Amino acid sequence: MLLEKKICTKATDKNTLKIYYRPNTTDEKVIPEVLQKNVYQSKKFNFFLEPTDKWLDLGGNIGTFSLLCLNKGISVVSFEPEPENFQILQKNINSNFPKTKLFKAFQKAIGLNSEKLPLFICKGDYNKYRHTLCPKRGRETIMVQVSPLSKIIEKYNINCIKIDIEGYEIELLEKIPIANLKNIKKLVYEYSFDIDKSIPRFLNII
C-alpha cells in the first residue's frame, strides 16, 4: 500500500513536493532526513547543492535525494536496483517533475565492472533501504545488472556523487582508480562500519 504526503522544503525551493511512500517502513524515516533535516547539505562546511552540480545518486531508494536536486533545478542520474523501490522512485519523480530533462533513472546497481551480481534483500516489512551487494547470510537474493562507475561518470559528465549503498561503498571507493574521479568536486556518502569497523581502512579511503 502506498500513501501520499506533501513536503515543503525551504522557501527558496521551487515546489511543495508530493511524496509516495510505504507506511510503517523506513520510507517514513528517509523522507524527513533528506527533505527536511537536510542531511546532504551543511552550512557549517559550506557544502550545498548548487545549479552547476551534476549529481550521481547511488542508492536512489524512493527518490528523495533526486527530488531534492530537481526541486533546486539540478540535474541528477539515479541508480536503484531493487524493483519496488525503483517503481516508487519513478512515481515520485513523475508526480512532481513529469517533463523534466534533468533526470535519468536506471534499475541497476553501480560497481566497478559491467556484470550481474546478487542483491541481498532485507527481511521483513519495515526495512526498505538496506538491500546490499555485500553478502548477507540468510537473506533472499535477486540478480541485478551492475554498471561500472567510471563509465557512468564519463557518459553523463558527473561532477558530484552521493553514495548510500549499504557497505558496497567500501570496495567501490577503495578500488576505483583515482583518475576516474578527477572531475568530481563533491562526494557525500554513508560509510558502513557494520560491514568493517577498521578505522585505518576508513581513513585510507578518506
Side-chain angles (χ1 to χ4, degrees):
M1 178 179 66
L2 285 182
L3 295 182
E4 174 191 324
K5 68 165 58 177
K6 292 185 177 180
I7 294 287
C8 184
T9 56
K10 291 188 176 181
T12 53
D13 291 339
K14 294 181 179 180
N15 303 306
T16 297
L17 297 171
K18 181 167 63 175
I19 312 293
Y20 290 93
Y21 69 100
R22 293 156 291 197
N24 303 312
T25 72
T26 47
D27 293 354
E28 294 184 326
K29 181 179 179 181
V30 74
I31 292 169
E33 276 186 352
V34 177
L35 296 174
Q36 294 174 310
K37 295 180 181 178
N38 228 6
V39 296
Y40 287 113
Q41 298 188 96
S42 173
K43 185 176 181 179
K44 178 179 179 180
F45 295 105
N46 195 33
F47 191 95
F48 299 103
L49 305 180
E50 300 171 298
T52 55
D53 294 348
K54 294 182 178 180
W55 280 93
L56 179 58
D57 180 6
L58 305 185
N61 193 244
I62 63 169
T64 48
F65 180 79
S66 291
L67 286 171
L68 181 65
C69 289
L70 293 173
N71 210 34
K72 296 175 179 291
I74 299 169
S75 68
V76 57
V77 179
S78 182
F79 280 74
E80 171 53 53
E82 199 281 323
E84 186 174 79
N85 283 345
F86 185 76
Q87 289 176 7
I88 300 173
L89 180 153
Q90 287 189 307
K91 186 174 180 65
N92 278 326
I93 300 301
N94 291 335
S95 297
N96 290 280
F97 303 98
K99 297 181 180 181
T100 184
K101 295 182 179 179
L102 296 176
F103 181 74
K104 293 184 182 297
F106 299 92
Q107 190 181 324
K108 297 180 180 180
I110 281 285
L112 296 164
N113 304 298
S114 179
E115 57 187 334
K116 282 193 173 181
L117 292 174
L119 182 71
F120 293 80
I121 303 297
C122 291
K123 292 182 176 181
D125 296 326
Y126 175 71
N127 198 328
K128 302 297 184 181
Y129 61 15
R130 297 222 72 186
H131 314 305
T132 180
L133 293 178
C134 297
K136 294 282 187 178
R137 288 184 180 180
R139 288 193 184 182
E140 294 182 359
T141 62
I142 59 173
M143 297 302 294
V144 297
Q145 184 63 48
V146 179
S147 293
L149 176 58
S150 57
K151 290 187 178 180
I152 297 301
I153 290 173
E154 181 179 3
K155 181 175 182 178
Y156 296 104
N157 297 313
I158 298 297
N159 60 20
C160 304
I161 307 176
K162 167 257 182 184
I163 309 177
D164 189 354
I165 52 176
E166 304 306 326
Y168 203 69
E169 74 281 347
I170 297 174
E171 181 175 353
L172 191 63
L173 292 173
E174 277 185 332
K175 294 183 177 180
I176 187 170
I178 195 69
N180 294 144
L181 302 176
K182 62 183 179 180
N183 294 324
I184 304 303
K185 64 179 184 177
K186 296 175 185 175
L187 173 64
V188 56
Y189 63 94
E190 177 186 82
Y191 192 91
S192 299
F193 282 104
D194 57 332
I195 300 296
D196 189 337
K197 294 181 172 62
S198 170
I199 298 300
R201 188 179 190 186
F202 167 73
L203 293 176
N204 186 56
I205 290 173
I206 294 294

